[in-house]
């Protein structure tokens, strides 16, 4: 039994009121690095510094009554922790953590570096962020620092060190969050110098940079690295703009690691270090950011209050893929946000649905943002568990229901992770390169990705999203919707996957450019065209749809490529109908068997119905079968497996009840399951016998 377990049981023995269900179930022995924490954390962002201390006990009691077992604290509280340069005050935080512990809470501490205090930016204005137009940020908001500022990093290291020294061995502190949603780059002098150093490291010589970027174009040739401008946008060389993204990724990763390096030696190994990220954030390469973090954590908000469960699920799967491991949902909304054009609240039942969706996709924690709105401050309109009077909002019972269910299901969920036979490859380079030169204004790479993901997820009931470099051996089917940037090593690994019997599917625009965003000399799919035995003769942006006919039939819009088979054993699965146009009769989808594996190239952005037909045939060819047959599209099915267990989770995202044909061996374990149906907006979970 871990320290946390011991302490909590002691608390129960002392009559501190940890709910009985929690006491019995939340501390399974786990062979993980975080042996002390419950299998599922449920909690909330709590900002004790914003409230009179007399209120803390009431808040913590209400949290416990809501079923929470975790609070995330301290992020943004820098001006309270260090009211003047070098004068630290942690006494209030000691008392807040002690109070949380008395109520049986696990604690996640956020380092406060997203919100530098006024004394810091006043005395050292050079740490302030400068935007691309040269405007320096001022005090009053957040994230107004430069990610490259050495002085700012010194201050960050110091405050992170002080926190780690003080709480690094506190058994209640189960994890650490560095900063908060890092993202906006800076264009100050130090950033420019860092950019030049980055380019020098990447290319070695300026001649190599000139070659990779083809700087003979428009007289861009550089004689030295310090001539290269720092730009994120505008009419710049695509090689420069893609490398800007690489630079930002490296700089933010190092910014976070600056704090991690200081903290690691000071905190228990059982406590995780993470940072919280945003949905589909194009700012930096999240795979790179997570390499030296212990787990991924993200903030899931349904901006318009109208969840598209499949699209939201894709983002969870991407976050899981950062470390190919379960993750934490560090923030989610108790009803609504305050930053959408219309801040519509989720419907009754949907907050619970969204929590279970996260868990089905691999979340081991669900934390709400936030507990209670402050009297003033920028986010008073945001959804919260309590109202301004300190009493529960109408959403609180639903959150309490969710927390109780998740805690009850925790022993089943322990040591399990989402199962999938299908992987999709997400490449930041490709996303950026497409966005830099869309060629068709509507070619949104996330929409294109999601259109591929949708039928695969619905039909296969489990998809992992991973980096192009990931080990793919465990997957029957691997789909890369728009792998525009494809490097030689990536191509070699994909070829090896196919030759070992894997089924690889490439979507439009794949294999066109290298990682300096230069065109490959051979036509698409570039370094994989020999394996495919075919090449793209020409690509076309479409302002009207064209027909698709063959093994699948329907329409394609936005983008279409005419594929020329070269090898004799290439099979044409579908052709275009485009009377009088370039594409008429030309191959749209081709496939080639390679031993027991295959490579398929889909040259067009297919409409949803055609994409669904294609998914059916790809899954059948790869031998992927769903766990639940004939599930209604409103019913999300997920399987978590591991530790000798298999657990089926069914979430009804619809407004009416839906029948669920239980697979053999399924036993109801909890939730809204009755008469063979899952209730409207309901959730049900089942055991499926032992893991394979
Ligand atoms: C982000 C931040 C939080 C808060 C929420 C509101 O996720 O991390 O501090 O601003 O948004 O939705």
């Amino acid at each position: 039994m871990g320290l946390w377990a011991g302490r909590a049981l002691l608390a129960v023995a002392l009559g501190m009121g940890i709910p009985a269900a929690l006491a019995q179930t939340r501390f399974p022995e786990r062979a993980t690095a975080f042996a002390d924490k419950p299998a599922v954390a449920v909690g909330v962002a709590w900002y004790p510094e914003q409230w009179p201390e007399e209120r803390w006990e009431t808040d913590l009691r209400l949290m416990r009554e809501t079923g929470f077992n975790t609070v995330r604290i301290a992020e943004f509280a820098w001006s309270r922790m260090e009211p003047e340069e070098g004068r630290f005050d942690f006494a209030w935080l000691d008392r807040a953590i002690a109070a949380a512990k008395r109520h049986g809470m696990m604690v996640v501490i956020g380092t406060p570096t997203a919100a530098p205090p006024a004394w810091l930016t006043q005395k050292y204005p050079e740490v302030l962020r400068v935007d691309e137009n040269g405007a320096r940020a001022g005090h009053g908001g957040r994230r107004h620092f430069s990610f490259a500022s050495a002085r700012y990093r010194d201050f960050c290291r110091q405050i992170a060190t002080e926190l780690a020294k003080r709480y690094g061995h506190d058994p209640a502190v189960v994890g650490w969050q560095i900063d908060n949603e890092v993202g906006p780059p800076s264009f100050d002098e130090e950033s420019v110098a860092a950019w030049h150093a980055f380019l020098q490291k990447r290319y070695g010589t300026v001649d190599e940079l000139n070659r990779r970027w083809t700087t003979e174009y428009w007289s861009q040739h550089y004689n030295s690295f310090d001539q290269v401008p720092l730009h994120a946008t505008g009419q710049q060389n695509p090689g420069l703009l893609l490398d800007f993204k690489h630079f930002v990724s490296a700089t933010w990763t190092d910014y976070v690691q600056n704090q991690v390096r200081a903290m690691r030696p000071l905190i228990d190994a059982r406590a995780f270090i993470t940072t919280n990220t945003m949905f589909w954030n194009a700012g930096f390469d999240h795979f790179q950011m997570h390499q030296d973090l212990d787990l991924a954590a993200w903030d899931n908000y349904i901006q318009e209050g109208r969840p598209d469960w499949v699209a939201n699920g894709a983002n969870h799967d991407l976050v899981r893929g950062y470390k190919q491991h379960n993750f934490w949902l560090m923030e989610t909304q108790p009803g609504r946000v305050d930053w959408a054009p219309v801040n519509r609240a989720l419907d009754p039942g949907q907050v619970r649905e969204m929590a279970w969706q996260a868990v089905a996709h691999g979340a081991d924690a669900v934390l709400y943002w936030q507990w209670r709105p402050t009297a003033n401050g920028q986010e008073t309109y945001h959804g919260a568990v309590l109202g301004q009077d300190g009493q529960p909002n109408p959403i609180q019972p639903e959150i309490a229901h969710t927390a109780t269910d998740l805690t009850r299901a925790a022993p089943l969920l322990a040591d399990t992770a989402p199962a999938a036979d299908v992987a999709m490859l997400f490449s930041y380079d490709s996303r950026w390169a497409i966005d830099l030169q869309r060629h068709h204004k509507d070619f949104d790479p996330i929409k294109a990705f999601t259109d591929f993901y949708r039928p695969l997820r619905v039909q296969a009931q489990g998809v992992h999203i991973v980096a192009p470099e990931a080990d793919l051996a465990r997957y029957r089917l691997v789909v890369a919707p728009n792998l525009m940037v494809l490097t030689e090593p990536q191509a070699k690994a994909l070829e090896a996957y196919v030759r070992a019997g894997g089924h690889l599917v490439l979507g439009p625009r794949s294999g066109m450019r290298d990682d300096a965003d230069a065109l490959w000399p051979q036509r698409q799919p570039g370094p994989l065209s020999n394996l495919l035995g075919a090449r793209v003769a020409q690509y076309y942006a479409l302002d009207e749809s064209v027909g698709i006919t063959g093994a699948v039939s329907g329409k394609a819009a936005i983008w279409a490529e005419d594929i020329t088979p070269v090898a004799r054993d290439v099979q044409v699965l579908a052709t275009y109908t485009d009377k009088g146009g370039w594409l008429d009769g030309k191959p749209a989808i081709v496939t080639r068997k390679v031993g027991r594996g295959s490579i398929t190239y889909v040259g067009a952005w297919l409409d949803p119905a055609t994409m669904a037909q294609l998914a059916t045939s790809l899954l059948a060819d790869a031998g992927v079968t769903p766990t639940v047959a004939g599930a209604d599209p409103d019913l999300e099915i997920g399987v978590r497996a591991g530790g000798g267990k298999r657990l089926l989770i069914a979430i009804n995202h619809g407004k009416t009840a839906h029948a669920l044909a239980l697979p053999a061996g399924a036993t109801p374990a909890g939730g809204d399951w009755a008469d063979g149906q899952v209730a409207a907006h309901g959730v049900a979970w089942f055991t499926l016998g032992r893991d394979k």
Side-chain angles (χ1 to χ4, degrees), residues 62-134:
L62 288 171
M63 283 179 209
R64 221 181 49 210
E65 285 171 15
T66 307
F68 290 160
N69 57 26
T70 305
V71 285
R72 185 192 55 167
I73 60 172
E75 52 153 20
F76 306 125
W78 199 339
S79 60
R80 273 296 285 277
M81 294 177 198
E82 192 180 357
E84 289 165 28
E85 184 173 353
R87 182 166 73 78
F88 296 98
D89 175 10
F90 292 110
W92 66 274
L93 190 53
D94 293 349
R95 293 193 296 277
I97 291 175
K101 281 154 74 164
R102 279 198 301 280
H103 288 269
M105 296 283 170
M106 296 190 289
V107 176
V108 174
I109 298 182
T111 66
T113 51
W119 59 256
L120 197 163
T121 55
Q122 183 189 40
K123 186 164 173 197
Y124 307 101
E126 75 274 18
V127 307
L128 287 165
R129 190 163 65 82
V130 171
D131 73 15
E132 199 174 355
N133 301 317

Side-chain angles (χ1 to χ4, degrees), residues 535-554:
R535 60 194 168 90
V536 171
Q538 189 56 278
Y539 50 86
Y540 298 92
L542 306 178
D543 66 350
E544 280 179 359
S545 58
V546 294
I548 297 281
T549 178
V552 296
S553 35

Side-chain angles (χ1 to χ4, degrees), residues 47 76 142 180-181 276 299 301 331 339 369 379 382:
Y47 300 99
F76 306 125
R142 55 180 171 179
N180 174 286
E181 294 185 344
N276 57 331
D299 303 338
Y301 291 102
E331 296 180 14
W339 41 264
W369 198 96
E379 295 176 295
H382 201 281

